mmCIF file of all heavy atoms in Angstrom:
data_model
loop_
_atom_site.group_PDB
_atom_site.id
_atom_site.type_symbol
_atom_site.label_atom_id
_atom_site.label_comp_id
_atom_site.label_asym_id
_atom_site.label_seq_id
_atom_site.Cartn_x
_atom_site.Cartn_y
_atom_site.Cartn_z
ATOM 1 N N TYR A 11 71.430 215.777 127.452
ATOM 2 C CA TYR A 11 72.330 215.594 128.585
ATOM 3 C C TYR A 11 71.525 215.423 129.815
ATOM 4 O O TYR A 11 70.377 215.876 129.963
ATOM 5 C CB TYR A 11 73.034 216.979 128.703
ATOM 6 C CG TYR A 11 73.950 217.164 127.686
ATOM 7 C CD1 TYR A 11 73.697 218.273 126.757
ATOM 8 C CD2 TYR A 11 75.252 216.628 127.581
ATOM 9 C CE1 TYR A 11 74.748 218.575 125.704
ATOM 10 C CE2 TYR A 11 76.210 216.886 126.664
ATOM 11 C CZ TYR A 11 75.870 217.883 125.699
ATOM 12 O OH TYR A 11 76.852 218.235 124.789
ATOM 13 N N ALA A 20 69.884 219.034 123.890
ATOM 14 C CA ALA A 20 70.783 220.056 123.091
ATOM 15 C C ALA A 20 70.487 219.893 121.573
ATOM 16 O O ALA A 20 70.541 220.950 120.876
ATOM 17 C CB ALA A 20 72.302 219.690 123.479
ATOM 18 N N SER A 40 73.007 231.597 121.022
ATOM 19 C CA SER A 40 73.685 230.869 122.134
ATOM 20 C C SER A 40 72.861 229.814 122.766
ATOM 21 O O SER A 40 71.679 230.076 122.983
ATOM 22 C CB SER A 40 74.110 231.935 123.267
ATOM 23 O OG SER A 40 74.872 231.375 124.169
ATOM 24 N N GLY A 41 73.238 228.632 122.862
ATOM 25 C CA GLY A 41 72.499 227.472 123.472
ATOM 26 C C GLY A 41 71.703 226.846 122.417
ATOM 27 O O GLY A 41 70.952 225.877 122.823
ATOM 28 N N SER A 42 71.840 227.105 121.226
ATOM 29 C CA SER A 42 70.925 226.477 120.126
ATOM 30 C C SER A 42 71.564 225.055 119.798
ATOM 31 O O SER A 42 70.856 224.305 119.020
ATOM 32 C CB SER A 42 70.806 227.323 118.932
ATOM 33 O OG SER A 42 72.129 227.692 118.414
ATOM 34 N N GLY A 43 72.797 224.732 120.204
ATOM 35 C CA GLY A 43 73.294 223.374 119.945
ATOM 36 C C GLY A 43 74.467 223.410 119.003
ATOM 37 O O GLY A 43 74.839 222.299 118.577
ATOM 38 N N LYS A 44 75.070 224.499 118.667
ATOM 39 C CA LYS A 44 76.035 224.646 117.688
ATOM 40 C C LYS A 44 77.208 223.728 118.086
ATOM 41 O O LYS A 44 77.826 222.883 117.277
ATOM 42 C CB LYS A 44 76.489 226.047 117.403
ATOM 43 C CG LYS A 44 75.321 226.909 116.926
ATOM 44 C CD LYS A 44 75.802 228.304 116.620
ATOM 45 C CE LYS A 44 76.342 229.045 117.791
ATOM 46 N NZ LYS A 44 75.530 229.375 118.888
ATOM 47 N N SER A 45 77.794 223.953 119.257
ATOM 48 C CA SER A 45 78.956 223.305 119.619
ATOM 49 C C SER A 45 78.696 221.797 119.871
ATOM 50 O O SER A 45 79.545 220.975 119.540
ATOM 51 C CB SER A 45 79.403 223.866 121.001
ATOM 52 O OG SER A 45 79.894 225.179 120.855
ATOM 53 N N THR A 46 77.517 221.468 120.279
ATOM 54 C CA THR A 46 77.213 220.157 120.481
ATOM 55 C C THR A 46 77.183 219.347 119.169
ATOM 56 O O THR A 46 77.779 218.413 119.025
ATOM 57 C CB THR A 46 75.811 219.942 121.051
ATOM 58 O OG1 THR A 46 75.628 220.672 122.370
ATOM 59 C CG2 THR A 46 75.416 218.456 121.400
HETATM 60 N N1 ADP B 1 77.945 218.956 129.071
HETATM 61 C C1 ADP B 1 76.693 219.486 129.131
HETATM 62 N N2 ADP B 1 75.822 219.126 130.105
HETATM 63 C C2 ADP B 1 74.539 219.498 130.144
HETATM 64 N N3 ADP B 1 74.082 220.492 129.193
HETATM 65 C C3 ADP B 1 74.869 220.944 128.290
HETATM 66 C C4 ADP B 1 76.135 220.340 128.161
HETATM 67 N N4 ADP B 1 76.714 220.927 127.027
HETATM 68 C C5 ADP B 1 75.690 221.684 126.529
HETATM 69 N N5 ADP B 1 74.660 221.596 127.266
HETATM 70 C C6 ADP B 1 73.383 222.275 126.863
HETATM 71 O O1 ADP B 1 72.993 222.098 125.678
HETATM 72 C C7 ADP B 1 72.436 223.105 124.962
HETATM 73 C C8 ADP B 1 73.278 223.539 123.700
HETATM 74 O O2 ADP B 1 74.541 223.856 124.076
HETATM 75 P P1 ADP B 1 75.764 224.188 122.937
HETATM 76 O O3 ADP B 1 75.763 223.173 122.012
HETATM 77 O O4 ADP B 1 76.984 224.541 123.806
HETATM 78 O O5 ADP B 1 75.119 225.489 122.310
HETATM 79 P P2 ADP B 1 75.840 226.656 121.431
HETATM 80 O O6 ADP B 1 77.256 226.157 121.015
HETATM 81 O O7 ADP B 1 74.999 226.906 120.294
HETATM 82 O O8 ADP B 1 75.945 227.871 122.332
HETATM 83 C C9 ADP B 1 72.424 224.353 126.028
HETATM 84 O O9 ADP B 1 71.192 224.396 126.546
HETATM 85 C C10 ADP B 1 73.473 223.908 126.911
HETATM 86 O O10 ADP B 1 73.339 224.444 128.236
#
Side-chain angles (χ1 to χ4, degrees):
Y11 291 107
S40 185
S42 58
K44 303 182 298 295
S45 294
T46 303

